[in-house]
Amino acid sequence: MSIPQSGGGPITDQSQLAGYLEAGCKPKDDWRIGTEHEKFGYCKDTLKPLPYDGERSIRAMLEGLRDTYGWAPVEEGGNLIGLEKDGANVSLEPGGQLELSGAPLETIHQTCDEVNEHLREVQDIADRIGAGFIGLGAAPEWSHEDMPMMPKGRYRLMTDYMGRVGTHGTQMMYRTCTVQVNLDFASEADMVQKFRVALALQPVATALFANSPFFDGKPNGHKSWRSRVWRGLDDARTGMLPFVFEDGMGFERYVDYALDVPMYFVYRDGKYIDALGQSFRDFLKGELPALPGEVPTLSDWADHLTTIFPEARIKKFMEMRGADGGPWRRICALPAFWTGLMYDESALDAAWDLVKGWDAETREALRVAASEDALDAVVGSIRMKDLAAQALEISRAGLKARARPASGGMIPDERHFLNTLEDSVEDGRTPADELLAHYHGDWNGDLSKIYGAYSY
């Protein structure tokens, strides 16, 4: 979850809302890659989630990273709730999932170095306090009652609201993890093309990274339960956004959509003010019940954009949101997959050619099928395994064309980061398939074996 925004003067004209998004446009030389990944922390002796407080806790993890590795603290209400260093930040999801929001970097090589350094630091501190961390899309055994709530005002408000508008919202908040990548766009037209490709191919990422076949201590019938959870959260702020594929799509059209998404909160003086279900359109008119007479600032708009959760979304950059959390090799593979598709013009055109003939029903059907069957999914004449192979071929060509070397030129480009995904397509096995094979095989139905086998 995003940290609260600051700065920006009052909004006096609605055109400022689209202008805020458009301000993210950058020339290609300035495009960067920002990778975010979440993981579950647990107590090694009990295999239960880490509480916020105590000797073996989330707070102890944050304090250890702060004191040992020079991270600057981020606090809310006197509680340590995050860390910052060199353009990156460590933050907490509602149930204590530890998230690294990486710095904007130029290459996947740098991204993978950042991931490795972060996981090394986390493992060091975790070992000291008797904790472990595991990369999965959903908590395999823990119940909702097992999960702590992190001391962030935003989460208290969201928890209450989630129970009113959907069936799976608190599951998303407390018991799922993702890996995502944030990418740039050059212009409105470039944004639109990338947004369409991102939404259409998000089910491919869901399938390739499917890693949540267990929930509440047993198989759940889905390869990506995390993806299923998002379909039962809140239809007003999730989904595949059919309007993005319509004529007239642009920054203004996205603003119209975002203004119709009910609000969660307004952040003032270090506190979250309850604006659940209220309208940003009313806020623009100074008629928000939570703050009568006040008009929003650009930071309020930035905050509101973080409460919208489609499969891909835009702020001043674009977020790819369809993948389950997983092992470190796939953390590096996710940004490689999307960078190859998005950051080379020929690859982007080829990706659009691949998906432009689909209608909204096909895109939604692929989303559903990906969560259930991953690479085994079939929608009409589309076989997910074949579609994934085509998307990976396009991504590989895009990464080759980017030609970003490493190790003094010994590694010519970033294509090798796709190897783990290509292996999955070749043998048809996603992480979820491997987990299920262990569960029904050598684990003999004992899910506690997952911690020893799959922790970082």
Side-chain angles (χ1 to χ4, degrees), residues 256-269:
D256 285 340
Y257 157 72
L259 286 174
D260 288 331
V261 174
M263 293 177 65
Y264 279 159
F265 61 81
V266 182
Y267 189 73
R268 288 287 185 276
D269 300 321

Side-chain angles (χ1 to χ4, degrees), residues 75-144:
E75 295 188 350
E76 180 185 318
N79 293 307
L80 182 62
I81 51 95
L83 304 165
E84 296 177 329
K85 184 171 70 171
D86 299 333
N89 66 72
V90 174
S91 59
L92 303 177
E93 292 297 292
Q97 305 96 310
L98 197 69
E99 177 178 0
L100 176 72
S101 295
L105 301 171
E106 293 186 39
T107 71
I108 311 300
H109 309 295
Q110 294 169 341
T111 289
C112 217
D113 288 344
E114 178 188 59
V115 168
N116 289 335
E117 181 178 3
H118 170 69
L119 293 181
R120 179 182 58 80
E121 292 179 1
V122 167
Q123 184 176 37
D124 176 37
I125 304 305
D127 286 346
R128 296 184 199 180
I129 67 172
F133 280 85
I134 189 166
L136 296 165
E141 296 186 292
W142 305 330
S143 69
H144 181 72

Side-chain angles (χ1 to χ4, degrees), residues 26-46:
K26 298 180 178 68
K28 188 172 183 177
D29 288 347
D30 292 340
W31 290 354
R32 295 294 182 265
I33 304 159
T35 304
E36 302 181 18
H37 54 93
E38 303 161 0
K39 52 265 178 206
F40 294 108
Y42 63 93
C43 304
K44 283 187 175 179
D45 58 347
T46 65

Side-chain angles (χ1 to χ4, degrees), residues 77-376:
N79 293 307
L80 182 62
I81 51 95
L83 304 165
E84 296 177 329
K85 184 171 70 171
D86 299 333
N89 66 72
V90 174
S91 59
L92 303 177
E93 292 297 292
Q97 305 96 310
L98 197 69
E99 177 178 0
L100 176 72
S101 295
L105 301 171
E106 293 186 39
T107 71
I108 311 300
H109 309 295
Q110 294 169 341
T111 289
C112 217
D113 288 344
E114 178 188 59
V115 168
N116 289 335
E117 181 178 3
H118 170 69
L119 293 181
R120 179 182 58 80
E121 292 179 1
V122 167
Q123 184 176 37
D124 176 37
I125 304 305
D127 286 346
R128 296 184 199 180
I129 67 172
F133 280 85
I134 189 166
L136 296 165
E141 296 186 292
W142 305 330
S143 69
H144 181 72
E145 290 70 28
D146 288 329
M147 306 307 299
M149 181 191 291
M150 296 299 101
K152 299 178 71 171
R154 172 181 178 135
Y155 296 158
R156 283 190 291 273
L157 291 173
M158 288 177 64
T159 298
D160 176 64
Y161 191 69
M162 290 292 188
R164 292 189 249 149
V165 297
T167 56
H168 291 68
T170 56
Q171 291 184 19
M172 178 279 291
M173 291 177 65
Y174 291 92
R175 292 191 282 166
T176 66
C177 283
T178 186
V179 55
Q180 66 182 57
V181 64
N182 305 324
L183 298 174
D184 290 313
F185 41 78
S187 63
E188 184 172 58
D190 185 46
M191 179 277 293
V192 170
Q193 186 178 17
K194 286 175 175 172
F195 207 174
R196 289 170 173 168
V197 169
L199 286 166
L201 289 180
Q202 212 62 225
V204 174
T206 298
L208 286 168
F209 290 83
N211 192 31
S212 48
F214 308 118
F215 205 66
D216 288 329
K218 59 184 183 296
N220 54 52
H222 289 68
K223 302 289 181 69
S224 174
W225 182 252
R226 184 205 56 83
S227 180
R228 168 64 186 92
V229 163
W230 279 104
R231 300 204 312 275
L233 189 146
D234 180 352
D235 289 344
R237 68 186 76 240
T238 61
M240 296 288 280
L241 306 187
F243 72 85
V244 171
F245 297 85
E246 297 172 358
D247 291 343
M249 173 57 192
F251 293 121
E252 289 281 3
R253 182 66 186 87
Y254 192 79
V255 166
D256 285 340
Y257 157 72
L259 286 174
D260 288 331
V261 174
M263 293 177 65
Y264 279 159
F265 61 81
V266 182
Y267 189 73
R268 288 287 185 276
D269 300 321
K271 296 181 180 179
Y272 288 90
I273 297 170
D274 184 345
L276 292 171
Q278 297 177 25
S279 166
F280 209 95
R281 294 187 189 275
D282 289 342
F283 202 4
L284 289 171
K285 295 183 288 187
E287 298 173 0
L288 190 72
L291 287 174
E294 282 199 38
V295 295
T297 66
L298 281 174
S299 60
D300 294 326
W301 177 237
D303 279 336
H304 181 59
L305 292 173
T306 70
T307 68
I308 302 170
F309 308 125
E311 292 295 285
R313 72 179 178 189
I314 58 170
K315 297 189 284 193
K316 287 187 176 180
F317 48 84
M318 188 172 298
E319 300 180 358
M320 314 302 167
R321 300 172 49 81
D324 284 4
W328 75 263
R329 286 184 305 146
R330 286 180 182 261
I331 296 173
C332 302
L334 189 278
F337 175 70
W338 287 113
T339 297
L341 291 171
M342 298 288 186
Y343 274 9
D344 173 73
E345 186 174 344
S346 294
L348 182 60
D349 287 342
W352 177 234
D353 285 341
L354 186 63
V355 304
K356 66 184 180 183
W358 300 346
D359 57 20
E361 290 73 22
T362 299
R363 294 189 293 270
E364 181 62 24
L366 285 167
R367 179 193 183 203
V368 173
S371 74
E372 295 175 352
D373 299 319
L375 289 176
D376 293 326

Side-chain angles (χ1 to χ4, degrees), residues 365-446:
L366 285 167
R367 179 193 183 203
V368 173
S371 74
E372 295 175 352
D373 299 319
L375 289 176
D376 293 326
V378 178
V379 173
S381 62
I382 302 171
R383 298 177 68 243
M384 185 67 76
K385 185 177 176 181
D386 295 339
L387 178 60
Q390 292 173 290
L392 282 167
E393 183 179 2
I394 295 169
S395 178
R396 175 170 280 271
L399 293 176
K400 181 179 181 180
R402 263 172 59 83
R404 298 300 177 93
S407 301
M410 295 290 289
I411 301 174
D413 53 48
E414 302 152 310
R415 284 176 290 172
H416 65 284
F417 291 111
L418 298 178
N419 288 351
T420 185
L421 304 182
E422 292 168 337
D423 289 345
S424 283
V425 170
E426 185 173 344
D427 64 23
R429 286 165 60 92
T430 66
D433 294 303
E434 295 173 8
L435 288 169
L436 287 166
H438 282 301
Y439 178 81
H440 293 295
D442 56 305
W443 294 353
N444 197 29
D446 181 2

Side-chain angles (χ1 to χ4, degrees), residues 23-71:
C25 295
K26 298 180 178 68
K28 188 172 183 177
D29 288 347
D30 292 340
W31 290 354
R32 295 294 182 265
I33 304 159
T35 304
E36 302 181 18
H37 54 93
E38 303 161 0
K39 52 265 178 206
F40 294 108
Y42 63 93
C43 304
K44 283 187 175 179
D45 58 347
T46 65
L47 303 182
K48 292 294 186 180
L50 290 175
Y52 176 74
D53 268 317
E55 292 185 5
R56 188 177 46 189
S57 65
I58 292 295
R59 180 191 281 274
M61 284 296 307
L62 295 176
E63 289 174 344
L65 292 170
R66 177 196 66 194
D67 298 341
T68 306
Y69 294 104
W71 290 82

